[in-house]
């Protein structure tokens, strides 16, 4: 799958996601960004010039092999790929910003993942989640059918985050399991002081 992941429709969607995230990274040139579940880097690699260090984490070795190929091809010196699964392990690193782009829908225990992400962030760090709004036309045993704003806000606040913003930024045909769908960008912060 990894070798065929960067299809024209996925690239076009990734460009929209990157455009939505880019304004969130102004004044981040001295910060570390972790793209958790970053796949082949479609969304985050174009953001590399905006941060000091970009780490693309994924659970699939083949996706990360493609990331490494892209890093070499593009001559990126501030990007690395790492094999990590926060649903099964705790990581003792710290980041200024963590991005999840179309990842939460694949996570059965979203509360646990949010707690892991909270621990990963430095005080004052930011969590950026791009995913689908709740879509009752989608039904699949292995993915959430999107998220209700209030539910996500409650889960994040229970993990310790201060909610900053939640906005729907794109709607389109056949985006989510061949169903029309809309995408949101959620931004939260880990408090600077406990």
């Amino acid at each position: 799958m990894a070798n065929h992941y960067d299809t024209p429709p996925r690239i076009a969607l990734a460009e929209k996601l990157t455009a939505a995230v880019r304004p969130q990274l102004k004044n981040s040139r001295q910060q570390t960004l972790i793209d958790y579940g970053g796949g082949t880097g479609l969304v985050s690699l174009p953001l590399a010039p905006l941060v000091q260090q970009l780490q693309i984490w994924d659970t699939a070795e083949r996706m990360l092999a493609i990331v490494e190929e892209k890093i070499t091809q593009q001559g990126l010196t501030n990007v690395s790929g790492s094999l990590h699964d926060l649903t099964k392990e705790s990581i003792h690193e710290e980041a200024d910003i963590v991005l999840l782009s179309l990842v939460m829908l694949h996570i059965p225990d979203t509360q646990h993942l949010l707690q892991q992400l909270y621990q990963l962030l430095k005080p004052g760090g930011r969590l950026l989640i791009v995913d689908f709004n709740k879509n009752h036309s989608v039904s699949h045993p292995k993915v959430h059918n999107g998220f209700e704003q209030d539910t996500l806000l409650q889960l994040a606040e229970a993990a310790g985050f201060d909610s900053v913003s939640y906005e729907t930024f794109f709607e389109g045909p056949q985006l989510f399991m061949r169903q029309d769908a809309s995408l949101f960008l959620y931004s939260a912060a880990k408090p600077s002081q406990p």
Side-chain angles (χ1 to χ4, degrees), residues 77-112:
T77 58
N78 69 327
V79 182
S80 62
S82 297
L83 190 65
H84 291 295
D85 186 346
L86 291 176
T87 65
K88 297 177 182 172
E89 62 182 319
S90 293
I91 307 294
H92 301 288
E93 290 195 38
E94 285 191 321
D96 300 291
I97 307 163
V98 175
L99 169 65
L100 283 84
S101 177
L102 302 181
V103 172
M104 290 288 283
L105 74 153
H106 298 285
I107 307 297
D109 188 350
T110 53
Q111 182 66 57
H112 174 73

Side-chain angles (χ1 to χ4, degrees), residues 6-189:
D6 292 1
T7 62
R10 281 197 177 113
I11 292 168
L13 181 59
E15 289 171 352
K16 289 175 179 39
L17 304 182
T18 301
V21 171
R22 186 179 301 277
Q24 299 288 324
L25 299 180
K26 62 183 177 192
N27 304 317
S28 298
R29 293 204 188 275
Q30 301 302 314
Q31 296 187 327
T32 298
L33 168 65
I34 293 175
D35 180 7
Y36 180 71
T40 64
L42 278 176
V43 173
S44 61
L45 282 174
L47 302 170
L50 303 177
V51 295
Q52 183 174 28
Q53 178 70 33
L54 168 61
Q55 298 176 27
I56 300 174
W57 292 8
D58 204 274
T59 60
E61 289 183 36
R62 189 63 196 126
M63 292 287 196
L64 292 169
I66 292 172
V67 167
E68 293 299 331
E69 290 171 14
K70 290 179 178 182
I71 290 169
T72 301
Q73 290 169 356
Q74 297 176 31
L76 298 170
T77 58
N78 69 327
V79 182
S80 62
S82 297
L83 190 65
H84 291 295
D85 186 346
L86 291 176
T87 65
K88 297 177 182 172
E89 62 182 319
S90 293
I91 307 294
H92 301 288
E93 290 195 38
E94 285 191 321
D96 300 291
I97 307 163
V98 175
L99 169 65
L100 283 84
S101 177
L102 302 181
V103 172
M104 290 288 283
L105 74 153
H106 298 285
I107 307 297
D109 188 350
T110 53
Q111 182 66 57
H112 174 73
L113 181 62
L114 287 167
Q115 291 166 343
Q116 292 286 78
L117 296 169
Y118 184 86
Q119 295 304 317
L120 189 61
L121 284 166
K122 294 178 181 177
R126 294 179 293 142
L127 174 64
L128 304 174
I129 299 174
V130 177
D131 222 312
F132 292 104
N133 285 303
K134 188 68 133 180
N135 187 331
H136 297 287
S137 299
V138 172
S139 179
H140 192 282
K142 294 189 178 180
V143 298
H144 297 278
N145 64 343
F147 296 92
E148 296 279 355
Q149 178 176 349
D150 290 342
T151 302
L152 184 59
L153 297 179
Q154 289 170 1
L155 289 171
E157 288 173 3
F161 288 102
D162 290 334
S163 296
V164 178
S165 66
Y166 184 111
E167 72 170 300
T168 298
F169 69 89
F170 182 73
E171 296 181 32
Q174 299 188 2
L175 286 181
F176 189 13
M177 302 215 168
R178 298 189 178 108
Q179 299 295 322
D180 296 354
S182 60
L183 290 158
F184 67 82
L185 172 61
Y186 172 68
S187 175

